[in-house]
Amino acid sequence: DKHCVRFHLDSGSVKFWGTMEAEEPKLAPLGIVRIHKCYMVNLRYVIKSTSSQVILQTGITLPVGRKYHAKYQEAYKRYLGITETPAV
């Protein structure tokens, strides 16, 4: 089922009918990742990240869903340039 999807941008917000699932693969190369069933974030705007939430430059705090946590953390680490080093 399609829903009203809204993107909040620096220049305002944009609404359209669709699904977040359909938009995820299109937006991933731009650094926009799903963090919750209701939220996607642009990693450039994340200033703090914990296991359960992200804080954006605007001061908005958003929850990180359990289902999306691992994939989000992986994308955020890649964005920051953090690589896991294997134990020797």
Side-chain angles (χ1 to χ4, degrees), residues 1-35:
D1 290 332
K2 291 187 177 188
H3 302 278
C4 180
V5 178
R6 179 177 291 164
F7 288 101
H8 296 276
L9 311 169
D10 288 338
S11 59
S13 64
V14 176
K15 292 191 310 187
F16 66 93
W17 287 97
T19 64
M20 290 181 58
E21 291 82 12
E23 300 307 312
E24 279 183 80
K26 299 174 194 173
L27 298 173
L30 303 174
I32 300 171
V33 297
R34 185 95 175 251
I35 62 167

Side-chain angles (χ1 to χ4, degrees), residues 13-85:
S13 64
V14 176
K15 292 191 310 187
F16 66 93
W17 287 97
T19 64
M20 290 181 58
E21 291 82 12
E23 300 307 312
E24 279 183 80
K26 299 174 194 173
L27 298 173
L30 303 174
I32 300 171
V33 297
R34 185 95 175 251
I35 62 167
H36 187 273
K37 67 180 182 177
C38 298
Y39 303 111
M40 296 175 81
V41 296
N42 186 326
L43 297 173
R44 290 190 332 223
Y45 292 94
V46 174
I47 60 169
K48 185 174 181 183
S49 177
T50 70
S51 61
S52 62
Q53 64 186 17
V54 297
I55 300 173
L56 305 178
Q57 290 176 355
T58 59
I60 294 172
T61 300
L62 298 172
V64 176
R66 285 180 296 199
K67 177 179 176 180
Y68 304 97
H69 179 263
K71 193 172 180 181
Y72 161 71
Q73 287 294 325
E74 180 183 314
Y76 191 55
K77 286 178 182 178
R78 254 194 331 269
Y79 173 77
L80 294 175
I82 299 170
T83 57
E84 299 293 326
T85 55

